Amino acid sequence: MKQFVALLLFFTQFFTFSQDTNLYEKPPVFPECSNVAIDALQECFDAQVFNIIKEKFKVPSNLKNDNYKGEVIVLFEVDTTGSFRVMYVDAMYNELKAEAKRVFETFPKIEPATYSGRKTFKQYSIPIQIPLDDFTLSTPKDLAKSNAINKLEEAAKQEFEAVNSGLTTYSNKALTSKLNIQFTHSDYARFDRAMNVIGTNSHTASKPFLYDDVSKYYNFEAERDALKKNTETWAGKKLWNEHLVQLQGKDYWFTIDPVFDLQAGTDSEGGSTYNNTRGIMIQGGLGKNFNFYSTIFESQGRFADYVNRYAESLKAFGPDPAIIPGRGIAKRFKTDSYDYPVAEAYLSYSPAKFLNVQFGHGKNFIGDGYRSLLVSDVTSPYPFLKLNTKFWKIKYTNTFMWMRDVRDAVVEDKAFLTKYIANHYLSWNVSKRFNLGLFESVLWENSNNRGFDVNYLNPIIFYRAIEFVTGQGAGNALLGATAKYKWNDDVNIYGQFILDEFSLGDIKAREKSWKNKYGYQIGLKYYNAFKVDNLVLQLEYNRVRPYTYSHNTIVLNYAHNNQSLAHLWGANFSELILIGRYRYNRWFADARFIFGTRGLDFNDGSDNFSYGGDIYRNYNDRPFDTGVEVGQGNKTKSFYGNLQAGYLINPASNLKFFTDITVRNFNPEATTATAFKNNTVWLNFGLRTDLFNWYFDN
């Protein structure tokens, strides 16, 4: 009997608890419902949600005009703070989805739901009938108790498959994108003529170019079709024609390719040489105006003896023995080689037709020649922000760069010193034949925690004026100009002028003062030379006076990572360059001959003056003020010749097989520890994903 009574009491308590569960649950409460009885709170909540939606929901005019009928199903929750949050919206048109989200953003914060006296989340779904005249008061369904969610769940379950079904055939969107065309002199020669025929409104000095800009003048798609090999196998397509991975949908695309630079050779001075680079290249786009690019390189190598010596002369602070020219700081690998990882990447966005913005880690170049006296790509990659603005006959390039001085003398707490450069380049097509460019640049360093000076963010102000306001020693400014004249469709003449400092009085006195620090370039290009299709010939002369690019505060020199930001020889030189380039289908051949005269320092006990060639010397260490001439000091004659031929394996990734021979003669008047006679013959062959310029003509 006792057991029966106990069991009866248990079930009585259980069913009483079950029936009174609702007393422990309380829905969210609007202020308008605060005085409503507890069993009517849910009904009041429903009415308030309905009233707000009815009042604030605006059917888009295009749907209203089309007399659209349908519904918008909204899943929403009221969180523990009483805030409304839309979880999911299902509607036929995106405009309706956006409007539903907008309306719920206007909901006030209310008293949250509670369970057993504790604040809790509460989730609901509600169908909004379109037109709103059909929308009547209906109870938002508690998602924990409703079957109305089935439709939304079914749609959500199909979302992954919908993404897959949105994939389309890859269509080389890169060829008309906002991506940069990888800057190599050899490859740019392909479309150089197309951009320089008389009458084009192109701007060819600021490099690298965007595919979007060049595709207006050169048909990349037709070029790919002409080079395409007929193969049906997956391996054949990937080897000869396509990216390794290429994926494209309605609003996105991306590609992935392996990167190789595998070289083997022999140097008459130093023995065997090699380079072993492996990496990956990823590029893609989201929408029409946003693109991204990234490459990661892992490399080991040993080069010709003169290149190895030059790399070690660039050595940074610390145990690392060298800086590989154009790449970066290198660690020792084995006993006589170098390990030098490199990464380059950027984001490219065009918020308007006339503007492209890039932020990344890489290089830039200004000029129409093989060399640039303004901004070159001979140095290591660096962080940059670049704005290209085009309108009318103008292209205006603003570039902000973060540089490093890696010398022992300026390192603090084992950290390299940071310095900054801001420059402007204005390109103006004066006529259908003549282009004029104006350049200005200022460099300042991070002394006294100055950081990036916002004064230089002004895109049009003259830097000399800012330099005066911020202090005469605050920065190092340079001015420059470029010009190009199209003689005809097959011949154009180009030039540059760089001005670091000058004294008008000294020029008039003809004293050849050290203060007159400037350089100039003049060159000529001949396309389809001698009526041979795809043969380009180029002649270029460069001359830079002593002490140009240098400064009495060495850190303010025009350099990065112990390498010049302009000509790789620094200053105090003249050179004549002859170049020939030829392409036939996938075959290519390049020839380069450089004749130079340089003035080097002696750097010995009897003569430790700076003669103006080394921009990492204080120009106050000069031996005299007048009679300063190009080639002064340890005059050195040099010759560099390079012949290269190869075959383009894959146009999509720019993978090439090549072989080349380099002959170099270096002949200073006086032999010193760093300057001595050197005659090199360097034979080399390899497999390379051609993404940047190697400059071994130092």
Side-chain angles (χ1 to χ4, degrees), residues 590-608:
D590 294 327
R592 205 171 352 131
F593 304 98
I594 301 174
F595 305 86
T597 299
R598 291 184 246 183
L600 306 178
D601 296 338
F602 291 97
N603 291 326
D604 57 27
S606 60
D607 189 344
N608 199 31

Side-chain angles (χ1 to χ4, degrees), residues 272-288:
S272 63
T273 65
Y274 75 94
N275 189 66
N276 178 14
T277 294
R278 299 87 56 214
I280 186 171
M281 174 173 60
I282 303 172
Q283 57 186 358
L286 301 174
K288 294 182 179 180

Side-chain angles (χ1 to χ4, degrees), residues 45 129 142 170 206 226 242 265 273 339 350 381 402 420 438 533 545 548 574 601 609:
F45 173 84
Q129 301 299 323
D142 187 332
Y170 184 76
S206 182
E242 298 180 357
T273 65
D339 187 328
S350 294
W402 287 255
Y420 310 94
L438 300 176
D533 289 345
R545 280 185 54 78
T548 306
S574 62
D601 296 338
F609 292 111

Side-chain angles (χ1 to χ4, degrees), residues 158-304:
Q158 300 299 318
E159 187 175 12
F160 184 81
E161 293 301 325
V163 170
N164 282 338
S165 65
L167 296 177
T168 59
T169 303
Y170 184 76
S171 58
N172 283 326
K173 285 191 174 183
L175 302 183
T176 55
S177 71
K178 312 299 180 183
L179 282 174
N180 293 332
I181 304 173
Q182 290 298 324
F183 178 46
T184 66
H185 292 289
S186 178
D187 285 335
Y188 270 47
R190 294 152 41 211
F191 45 78
D192 205 9
R193 180 186 183 277
M195 298 186 69
N196 280 291
V197 295
I198 295 173
T200 60
N201 192 31
S202 63
H203 300 269
T204 58
S206 182
K207 299 179 175 73
F209 300 147
L210 298 181
Y211 276 104
D212 182 50
D213 290 337
V214 180
S215 60
K216 300 172 185 175
Y217 310 101
Y218 188 78
N219 194 330
F220 289 105
E221 194 68 47
E223 179 189 54
R224 290 283 177 91
D225 290 341
L227 295 175
K228 188 174 182 180
K229 285 186 176 291
N230 293 322
T231 177
E232 298 300 325
T233 66
W234 180 90
K237 290 177 181 179
K238 298 304 176 183
L239 175 62
W240 300 110
N241 300 322
E242 298 180 357
H243 299 281
L244 179 63
V245 176
Q246 51 188 36
L247 193 64
Q248 179 176 310
K250 180 182 177 182
D251 297 316
Y252 64 90
W253 66 271
F254 69 88
T255 65
I256 302 175
D257 289 292
V259 172
F260 301 105
D261 191 349
L262 310 175
Q263 304 180 30
T266 181
D267 164 32
S268 60
E269 295 288 315
S272 63
T273 65
Y274 75 94
N275 189 66
N276 178 14
T277 294
R278 299 87 56 214
I280 186 171
M281 174 173 60
I282 303 172
Q283 57 186 358
L286 301 174
K288 294 182 179 180
N289 298 316
F290 180 80
N291 292 100
F292 56 89
Y293 171 91
S294 179
T295 50
I296 301 173
F297 306 86
E298 174 59 34
S299 305
Q300 295 81 38
R302 180 176 62 249
F303 307 94

Side-chain angles (χ1 to χ4, degrees), residues 64-116:
K64 186 181 294 184
N65 294 337
D66 292 341
N67 296 318
Y68 169 76
K69 289 189 175 184
E71 67 177 7
V72 183
I73 299 179
V74 183
L75 276 66
F76 67 94
E77 72 175 10
V78 183
D79 64 19
T80 56
T81 68
S83 298
F84 284 79
R85 186 175 72 88
V86 173
M87 302 165 58
Y88 186 79
V89 183
D90 185 35
M92 181 174 292
Y93 294 98
N94 289 331
E95 297 98 314
L96 292 173
K97 295 179 181 179
E99 178 61 13
K101 292 177 181 178
R102 185 196 69 79
V103 170
F104 272 84
E105 287 175 355
T106 68
F107 273 53
K109 183 177 287 190
I110 64 176
E111 182 182 331
T114 59
Y115 182 82
S116 296

